[in-house]
């Protein structure tokens, strides 16, 4: 029975094609209500108009094909060159025609359509024949028109000849129906200069402070630059997380700012995951002009350790920008594959970051061969050191395209000034927090990049007399929401609590965590967190605290082996506070209050590794708050201890891997750091002896 149906379909095809002016697709007569057909690999839609005419047709696009007694729409496909871009336009008016199905024929309303590519890029001297398809028999001859014949001419047969560099429109007119193709003519022998500006790890730096330019000044500068011809703006991730003004709205302010500035891409970094994927998705939905890139982020089955499909909800695999010169720039946005370990596991278990090099090579070949891309840019949330040492193959020549996989690589994550070359391809990173930008100028001719000029600009001395109005209005709108809570003074700190080191704000945090855990009835032995992001001194406001502790890490109470506590204590970024006086026994379990990032951390194999033996027995909570994070724990501690003249020194020595902190060494370090009578009183948490206080 199935074989006879197929045979009838083939007969129907020839019967119908004999009544039409063009050969289009395959019809399935198994249903009287709809028609499904095969289509070519190139997709485009149609320019349509209706008139008083009668025709029979077959659609080549099942998604838009509909045969019924009342109306029919048609879309067709053609093969195009790699340099062409395909899309659609539609013009319509009332019409009727006869449409044939396997069961009946009836009078119906139909749209007459012309289908062809809507954009094309040619080089001076090149020719290209525009193909088209129509769904009706024309009553008049076909005519062609070039809006600017000095740029390109078109023959009566649709053959385009590119004359000189510029833009024009090529149109076809059939029976009063017009369809157009936007033509860009470029001159490969002419040297074209393309300027690219890259930023990375902005971390919510909204306000100009010291060398941090802030979104108003920095954004005004970049917005001005982005308006210049042949300019590309690259954002390589970690944009949102880091300030009260940004964190309070989960990055919404900065997303709107990126759109206003006109960034050509935004590559996701590890800190975009700090609030979970739902906020990446929600920010992507309000991003009207800046494409989110997540080229190598895929769904992951953590139970079976299996890579699944691409995480489309987080971003695109690539984006293409056509410059004023006609050159097409393809941008690929990746994150280092090992950075899955830099994300709190509770937000990363369903995702994985596959090898960036493999992804870049595959997409680059597709962009150059099939999408007509001239220049490939990689925006990588990974350091230049990592990209060159682990994924340096992206600077090699592809056997498919005969061009380098990447022409330039913008890097991020390590907050360093970096500029390295591999096979003459620059790998560049410009510090962090808006203190600098990367600038790369490419000179392009004869089908490839001929030369580079790459620099990092430090300590921005931006000549900005006034901020951009729309950015100012945007910032002020969100700032009003945070001013009240941000200006609250929590405590006075005599001296300075630094982001890391001996006298660190983390020492304050572990004391605050220990006190709160005890208050909530947990009998803990230790508390632990890692270092802060900024120093605080003098009158400490909530905004200051947000900058120093920008993350929303919760505090878990866990039981863990002494050997695991000892191992984690050796790292200089981890700070620990001891409650009891018992010597640490590697084989014994201890109760420890620790932030979620440390408690739930998984290694690159996606196994728990910081405290693999840990048993979670609870977490710190506060009435009315769904999350009581370590920053808010510290906030409440400061309110109770508003005149803070004592810092808690609980950082364990890296060199000795968890012995007592040497009293003499600490004192000498403080004295050598020019501490005076206004310095803090330090409580030194030793391993085996009662804590001592020393005034330096």
């Amino acid at each position: 029975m199935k074989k006879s149906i197929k045979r009838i379909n083939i007969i129907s095809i020839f019967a119908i094609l004999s009544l039409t002016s063009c050969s289009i697709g395959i019809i399935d007569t198994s249903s009287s209500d709809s028609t499904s057909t095969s289509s070519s690999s190139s997709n485009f839609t149609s320019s349509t108009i209706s008139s008083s005419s009668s025709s029979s047709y077959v659609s080549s696009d099942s998604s838009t094909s509909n045969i019924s007694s009342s109306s029919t729409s048609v879309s067709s496909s053609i093969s195009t060159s790699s340099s062409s871009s395909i899309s659609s336009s539609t013009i319509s008016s009332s019409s009727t025609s006869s449409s044939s199905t396997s069961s009946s024929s009836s009078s119906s309303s139909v749209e007459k359509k012309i289908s062809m590519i809507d954009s094309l890029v040619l080089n001076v001297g090149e020719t290209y024949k525009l193909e088209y398809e129509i769904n009706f028999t024309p009553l008049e001859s076909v005519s062609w028109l070039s809006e600017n014949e000095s740029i390109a001419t078109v023959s009566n047969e649709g053959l385009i000849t590119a004359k000189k560099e510029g833009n024009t429109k090529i149109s076809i007119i059939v029976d009063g129906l017009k369809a157009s193709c936007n033509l860009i003519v470029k001159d490969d022998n002419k040297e074209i200069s393309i300027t690219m500006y890259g930023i990375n790890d902005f971390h919510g730096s909204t306000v100009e402070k010291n060398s941090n330019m802030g979104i108003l000044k920095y954004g005004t500068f970049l917005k001005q630059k982005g308006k210049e011809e042949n300019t590309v703006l690259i954002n390589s991730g970690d944009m949102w997380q880091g300030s009260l003004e940004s964190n309070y709205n989960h990055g919404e302010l900065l997303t709107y700012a990126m759109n206003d500035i006109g960034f050509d891409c935004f590559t996701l970094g590890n800190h975009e995951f700090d609030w979970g994927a739902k906020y990446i998705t929600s920010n992507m939905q309000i991003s009207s002009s800046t494409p989110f890139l997540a080229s190598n982020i895929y769904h992951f089955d953590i139970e079976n350790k299996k890579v699944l499909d691409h995480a489309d909800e987080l971003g695109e695999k690539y984006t293409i920008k056509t410059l004023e010169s006609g050159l097409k720039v393809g941008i690929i946005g990746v994150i280092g594959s090992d950075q899955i370990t830099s994300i709190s596991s509770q937000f990363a278990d369903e995702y994985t970051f596959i090898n960036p090099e493999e992804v870049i090579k595959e997409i680059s070949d597709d962009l150059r061969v099939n999408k007509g891309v001239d220049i490939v840019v990689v925006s990588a949330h990974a350091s230049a050191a990592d990209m060159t040492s682990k994924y340096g193959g992206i600077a090699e020549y592809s056997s498919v395209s005969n061009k380098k996989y990447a022409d330039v690589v913008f890097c991020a994550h390590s907050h360093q000034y970096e500029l390295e070359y591999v096979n003459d391809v620059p790998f560049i990173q410009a510090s962090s927090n808006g203190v600098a930008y990367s600038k790369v100028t490419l000179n392009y001719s004869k089908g490839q990049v001929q030369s580079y000029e790459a620099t990092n600009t430090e300590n921005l001395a931006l000549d900005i007399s006034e901020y951009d109005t729309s950015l100012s209005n945007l910032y002020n709108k969100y700032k009003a929401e945070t001013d009240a809570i941000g200006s609250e003074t929590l405590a006075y700190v005599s001296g300075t609590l630094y982001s890391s080191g001996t006298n660190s704000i983390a020492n304050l945090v572990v004391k605050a965590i220990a006190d709160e855990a005890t208050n909530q009835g947990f009998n803990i032995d230790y508390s632990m967190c890692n270092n802060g992001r900024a120093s605080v001194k003098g009158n400490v406001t909530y905004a200051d605290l947000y900058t120093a502790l920008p993350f929303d890490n919760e505090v878990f109470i866990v039981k863990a082996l002494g050997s695991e506590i000892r191992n984690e204590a050796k790292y200089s970024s981890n700070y620990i506070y001891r409650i009891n006086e018992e010597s640490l026994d590697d084989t014994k379990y201890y109760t420890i209050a620790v932030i979620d990032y440390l408690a739930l951390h998984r290694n690159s194999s996606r196994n728990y590794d910081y405290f693999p033996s840990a048993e979670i027995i609870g977490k710190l909570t506060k009435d009315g708050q769904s999350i009581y994070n370590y920053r808010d724990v510290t906030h409440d501690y400061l309110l109770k201890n508003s005149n803070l003249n004592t810092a808690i020194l609980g950082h364990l020595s890296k060199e000795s891997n968890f012995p007592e902190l040497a009293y003499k060494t600490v004192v000498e370090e403080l004295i050598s750091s020019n501490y005076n009578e206004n310095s803090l009183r330090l409580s030194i948490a030793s391993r085996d002896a009662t804590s001592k206080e020393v005034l330096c």
Side-chain angles (χ1 to χ4, degrees), residues 493 497 504-513 536 545 634 637-638 644 646-649:
V493 176
L497 294 177
S504 167
I505 188 171
N507 291 313
L508 169 66
V509 176
V510 291
K511 170 60 174 170
I513 290 174
V536 298
L545 192 64
T634 307
Y637 177 84
L638 288 175
L644 192 69
T646 302
I648 307 301
L649 183 65

Side-chain angles (χ1 to χ4, degrees), residues 56-129:
S56 301
Y57 63 88
V58 182
S59 170
S60 67
D61 188 345
S62 62
S63 65
T64 59
S65 176
N66 243 330
I67 299 179
S68 69
S69 61
S70 59
S71 66
T72 307
S73 63
V74 178
S75 179
S76 305
S77 301
I78 60 175
S79 299
T80 66
S81 73
S82 62
S83 62
S84 63
S85 169
I86 305 173
S87 60
S88 64
S89 59
T90 302
I91 308 171
S92 61
S93 63
S94 176
S95 173
T96 60
S97 82
S98 176
S99 178
S100 177
T101 69
S102 62
S103 60
S104 64
S105 298
S106 63
S107 180
S108 62
S109 176
V110 69
E111 292 178 323
K112 294 172 63 176
K113 297 189 176 184
I114 300 177
S115 302
M116 71 177 187
I117 59 176
D118 89 333
S119 64
L120 180 67
V121 179
L122 296 177
N123 288 306
V124 173
E126 285 186 337
T127 60
Y128 183 88
K129 186 173 183 183

Side-chain angles (χ1 to χ4, degrees), residues 138-358:
L139 302 175
E140 303 175 2
S141 61
V142 174
S143 61
W144 293 88
L145 175 68
S146 171
E147 287 190 358
N148 191 334
E149 292 191 341
S150 68
I151 294 181
T153 59
V154 60
S155 71
N156 292 333
E157 291 75 33
L159 182 67
I160 301 171
T161 301
K163 296 292 188 180
K164 72 174 185 179
E165 190 176 37
N167 300 341
T168 188
K169 186 175 288 185
I170 307 295
S171 301
I172 182 174
I173 303 171
V174 185
D175 292 359
L177 172 63
K178 183 177 181 180
S180 299
C181 171
N182 294 309
L183 174 66
I184 298 175
V185 178
K186 56 186 185 180
D187 186 354
D188 263 355
N189 293 317
K190 177 183 176 181
E191 187 171 281
I192 301 172
S193 180
I194 303 100
T195 304
M196 301 182 181
Y197 295 90
I199 73 167
N200 59 274
D201 302 278
F202 196 69
H203 286 293
S205 300
T206 54
V207 182
E208 183 180 355
K209 186 177 180 181
N210 301 322
S211 60
N212 295 22
M213 292 298 101
I215 194 61
L216 293 181
K217 192 170 188 177
Y218 205 21
T220 299
F221 167 76
L222 291 170
K223 189 173 182 178
Q224 292 173 353
K225 292 298 181 182
K227 293 177 180 178
E228 298 175 357
E229 288 191 353
N230 298 320
T231 297
V232 181
L233 301 183
I234 303 292
N235 189 330
S236 296
D238 279 8
M239 183 71 178
W240 303 326
Q241 180 69 266
S243 71
L244 174 61
E245 291 90 351
S246 181
N247 286 34
Y248 195 74
N249 50 76
H250 297 98
E252 190 175 289
L253 163 61
L254 272 300
T255 299
Y256 280 123
M258 286 193 295
N259 285 328
D260 192 84
I261 293 166
F263 279 100
D264 295 301
C265 77
F266 171 51
T267 298
L268 298 185
N270 55 291
H271 283 298
E272 267 67 61
F273 288 84
D274 282 351
W275 307 303
K278 67 178 181 179
Y279 288 107
I280 298 176
T281 301
S282 63
N283 276 296
M284 186 170 67
Q285 290 172 346
I286 67 173
S287 181
S288 59
S289 61
T290 301
F292 282 36
L293 298 183
S295 305
N296 69 324
I297 304 180
Y298 280 69
H299 293 118
F300 189 69
D301 179 352
I302 196 159
E303 290 187 5
N304 297 302
K305 307 291 178 66
K306 183 179 179 180
V307 179
L308 305 175
D309 58 323
H310 181 259
D312 293 337
E313 75 276 13
L314 302 183
E316 304 171 34
K317 288 187 176 182
Y318 63 85
T319 186
I320 299 173
K321 179 178 183 177
T322 301
L323 304 177
E324 290 81 359
S325 63
L327 293 177
K328 287 186 175 183
V329 178
I331 309 172
I332 305 168
V334 297
I335 184 172
S337 57
D338 58 349
Q339 287 193 39
I340 198 73
T341 65
S342 299
I343 303 171
S344 183
S345 294
Q346 59 187 325
F347 298 132
D349 278 353
E350 64 181 294
Y351 299 104
T352 191
F353 307 153
I354 65 176
N355 187 299
E357 182 171 335
E358 297 175 3

Side-chain angles (χ1 to χ4, degrees), residues 464-621:
I464 305 295
S465 58
E466 60 182 279
Y467 298 145
D468 179 83
T469 301
S470 60
L471 283 174
S472 295
N473 291 339
L474 176 66
Y475 172 72
N476 290 333
K477 172 188 174 184
Y478 283 92
K479 184 174 183 292
E481 298 177 355
T482 58
D483 271 353
I485 60 172
S487 60
E488 175 192 15
T489 298
L490 305 177
Y492 178 81
V493 176
S494 171
T496 301
L497 294 177
Y498 296 95
S499 60
S500 61
T502 302
N503 201 32
S504 167
I505 188 171
N507 291 313
L508 169 66
V509 176
V510 291
K511 170 60 174 170
I513 290 174
D515 281 12
E516 184 61 28
T518 300
N519 293 338
Q520 294 195 19
F522 296 105
N523 185 22
I524 66 170
D525 300 296
Y526 302 93
S527 61
M528 179 182 285
C529 74
N530 48 21
N531 56 28
R533 284 299 180 102
S535 58
V536 298
K537 62 181 179 179
N539 289 319
V540 180
T541 67
Y542 194 44
D544 295 330
L545 192 64
Y546 237 103
T547 303
L549 307 171
F551 311 119
D552 294 337
N553 299 109
E554 295 183 87
V555 180
F556 282 81
I557 312 299
V558 303
K559 285 189 175 295
L561 275 171
S563 57
E564 296 169 356
I565 298 172
R566 184 189 303 275
N567 184 65
E568 293 309 311
K570 71 183 181 183
Y571 296 106
S572 59
S573 60
N574 291 338
Y575 296 77
I576 195 165
Y577 180 75
R578 122 184 244 103
I579 301 295
N580 65 37
E581 301 303 324
E582 182 184 350
S583 298
L584 187 70
D585 185 339
D586 285 356
T587 63
K588 184 178 176 179
Y589 280 86
Y590 295 87
T591 303
I592 182 169
V594 60
I595 61 172
D596 53 16
Y597 175 78
L598 298 174
L600 306 177
H601 190 272
R602 294 182 186 266
N603 59 22
S604 57
S605 300
R606 312 305 294 277
N607 298 315
Y608 289 113
D609 62 343
Y610 287 175
F611 299 99
S613 71
E615 175 190 356
I616 297 175
I617 60 177
K619 70 176 183 179
L620 299 189
T621 59

